[in-house]
Amino acid sequence: MALPGVREHRNAVLGGRRASAMMRAIRRRPDSHLNGHQTSPRTDSVRTAVVDWAFYRDGRRQDDLGSYTEAVDRARSGGGFVWIGLFEPTGDQLAGIAEEFDLHALAVEDAVTAHQRPKLERYGDSLFAVFKTVRYCPHEEFTASSEVVETGELMVFVGPEFVVTVRHGDHSELGRVRRQLQDNPDHLRHGPSAVLHAVADRVVDDYLTVVDQLQDDIDELEISIFSARGARNVERVYQLKREVLELKRAVAPLAGPLRQLAERPVRLVAPEIREYFRDVEDHLARVREQVSAFDELLTSILQAGLAQLTVAENEDMRKISAWVAILAVPTMIAGIYGMNFDYMPETQWRYSYYILLVLIVTICFGLHRYFKRNGWL
């Protein structure tokens, strides 16, 4: 058995190593956090990736802790969990947290580099979830260069006593989610899985918002494409279809992870939370149906626009051909009588010039009426 002095020295060394590893990524908690406010990662004087962190016990935020290591120690003693929010961290900024919570190297690499598909993976005693976040970009008038859907990424590490969220993109902030959870301690009391559900619910709600706004754009585009010169703007249809496909790539792969969280027992997900995941899955199914309908509708509009464009081009060609035929008559007659021959019939008549003019006008007028009656002009 180790002597008491040796034990104390060993615990101090281990605590110092863990604190130094964590302080590479997290500095001492700012005073603004004690008041429930967040500091922007871009204005932080230390340029840390940490947006906010807190310790929760019995569904309530505990603000009596001065440092992160104290919160971790208290969480591991069996009372609550820690939630850390990061914004676009570098590998060095995430290294201390990864070491502290024993996060898998592959998951950490995905969280740093981003550009991942929505997925749910399990590494030992932790879960790693990836969500694609979306935001609708408002515009006064939809043009071929308009950016309609902006995407980002949100990664969530979930363990028995911690939640680590990593955001990529300015529009995926979680301050409102954190406040809503803190206002609902009965739900937050279920632990880290409650945070995972709240994040997933927020992401899918954003999908619904974007889908509703896209519906207005598609309705407006459908009206304009069938206007008099709407077929000339088929590139706008193609551009919006590309934006819908971007949304589809964010929505479709998330169905599998949500189904797994809603239907299969997962060790780190409380049974009561699975019921809430089923509701999120239902909302996602609605979004998937609408996005698929948008894709099909835009394909039909694009095909109709191209068909209109072909018909318009054919009509233009017929008009051009009709006018060429009409103008060919005076050209032909003028060409014949413009030849330098001494003996040409009718050239010695006194009224031959006027007769030829009347003949040209008569023939051209007859051709014009003929083409007009047949829809060429």
Side-chain angles (χ1 to χ4, degrees):
M1 178 181 296
L3 297 176
V6 176
R7 265 201 321 269
E8 294 175 359
H9 176 72
R10 182 179 61 189
N11 292 336
V13 171
L14 292 177
R17 289 178 180 175
R18 183 175 62 188
S20 61
M22 291 306 303
M23 291 308 293
R24 290 201 303 268
I26 302 178
R27 63 183 176 88
R28 185 176 178 84
R29 183 178 186 175
D31 294 337
S32 61
H33 288 169
L34 296 176
N35 298 324
H37 301 294
Q38 298 182 7
T39 58
S40 171
R42 296 185 175 182
T43 59
D44 193 303
S45 59
V46 190
R47 295 184 180 180
T48 178
V50 177
V51 178
D52 194 8
W53 68 266
F55 171 72
Y56 298 93
R57 183 171 60 188
D58 295 329
R60 300 190 180 277
R61 181 168 182 159
Q62 308 296 313
D63 289 328
D64 59 340
L65 301 173
S67 67
Y68 171 79
T69 53
E70 294 180 28
V72 173
D73 290 338
R74 188 175 296 185
R76 285 180 172 167
S77 66
F81 68 95
V82 179
W83 179 5
I84 309 170
L86 304 174
F87 179 78
E88 296 183 356
T90 63
D92 292 337
Q93 290 172 324
L94 194 55
I97 296 176
E99 180 180 348
E100 176 68 25
F101 295 120
D102 194 24
L103 304 180
H104 197 278
L106 292 176
V108 173
E109 181 181 358
D110 290 344
V112 172
T113 58
H115 305 294
Q116 306 296 319
R117 296 177 71 255
K119 60 183 178 179
L120 177 68
E121 296 178 341
R122 180 171 180 176
Y123 296 100
D125 292 333
S126 64
L127 291 176
F128 177 61
V130 178
F131 302 94
K132 280 281 190 181
T133 59
V134 298
R135 178 175 64 181
Y136 178 82
C137 300
H139 46 272
E140 295 182 359
E141 182 180 358
F142 182 74
T143 63
S145 59
S146 298
E147 183 181 11
V148 181
V149 179
E150 180 182 355
T151 61
E153 292 186 36
L154 179 58
M155 290 81 167
V156 184
F157 296 89
V158 179
E161 71 281 344
F162 69 88
V163 176
V164 178
T165 54
V166 180
R167 299 191 292 111
H168 290 270
D170 294 331
H171 61 279
S172 56
E173 62 89 19
L174 296 175
R176 187 176 66 182
V177 175
R178 189 185 288 266
R179 291 190 295 271
Q180 289 175 346
L181 279 174
Q182 291 172 174
D183 292 338
N184 187 7
D186 291 335
H187 189 67
L188 190 57
R189 191 174 289 114
H190 293 296
S193 60
V195 177
L196 179 61
H197 161 260
V199 170
D201 188 53
R202 163 67 187 280
V203 170
V204 175
D205 283 346
D206 288 343
Y207 291 166
L208 290 170
T209 302
V210 172
V211 162
D212 292 339
Q213 292 169 320
L214 275 177
Q215 179 71 66
D216 296 335
D217 280 342
I218 294 175
D219 292 341
E220 178 184 349
L221 183 61
E222 187 176 12
I223 294 173
S224 66
I225 204 68
F226 291 106
S227 62
R229 298 190 60 83
R232 307 290 183 182
N233 300 320
V234 292
E235 66 274 6
R236 294 168 54 189
V237 183
Y238 177 78
Q239 193 269 345
L240 186 56
K241 181 176 175 63
R242 186 174 58 185
E243 295 293 320
V244 169
L245 288 177
E246 183 73 17
L247 178 60
K248 189 175 183 178
R249 282 194 291 267
V251 172
L254 187 58
L258 283 182
R259 186 177 302 111
Q260 182 178 353
L261 290 170
E263 298 178 358
R264 300 179 183 176
V266 180
R267 179 181 176 184
L268 295 173
V269 177
E272 297 83 0
I273 297 299
R274 290 214 309 269
E275 300 177 0
Y276 292 95
F277 276 115
R278 281 197 290 270
D279 181 65
V280 178
E281 186 186 14
D282 290 340
H283 292 171
L284 182 68
R286 172 191 163 190
V287 173
R288 292 176 60 197
E289 291 174 358
Q290 287 188 277
V291 171
S292 297
F294 289 165
D295 190 21
E296 295 176 0
L297 178 59
L298 287 172
T299 300
S300 300
I301 294 175
L302 182 60
Q303 292 174 348
L306 292 175
Q308 273 191 312
L309 187 60
T310 302
V311 171
E313 290 177 349
N314 290 337
E315 290 180 354
D316 292 341
M317 289 301 300
R318 288 194 300 178
K319 291 179 181 180
I320 294 173
S321 301
W323 283 112
V324 167
I326 293 173
L327 294 176
V329 175
T331 302
M332 179 188 67
I333 296 176
I336 292 174
Y337 282 92
M339 294 185 292
N340 296 321
F341 289 101
D342 293 333
Y343 302 101
M344 291 285 294
E346 297 91 24
T347 56
Q348 303 301 321
W349 290 2
R350 181 177 179 180
Y351 300 103
S352 60
Y353 173 73
Y354 302 102
I355 293 173
L356 285 176
L357 287 181
V358 171
L359 180 63
I360 290 172
V361 172
T362 302
I363 296 175
C364 290
F365 179 75
L367 289 174
H368 184 274
R369 289 198 60 184
Y370 173 78
F371 290 133
K372 190 77 171 178
R373 186 168 55 250
N374 287 274
W376 284 47
L377 291 175

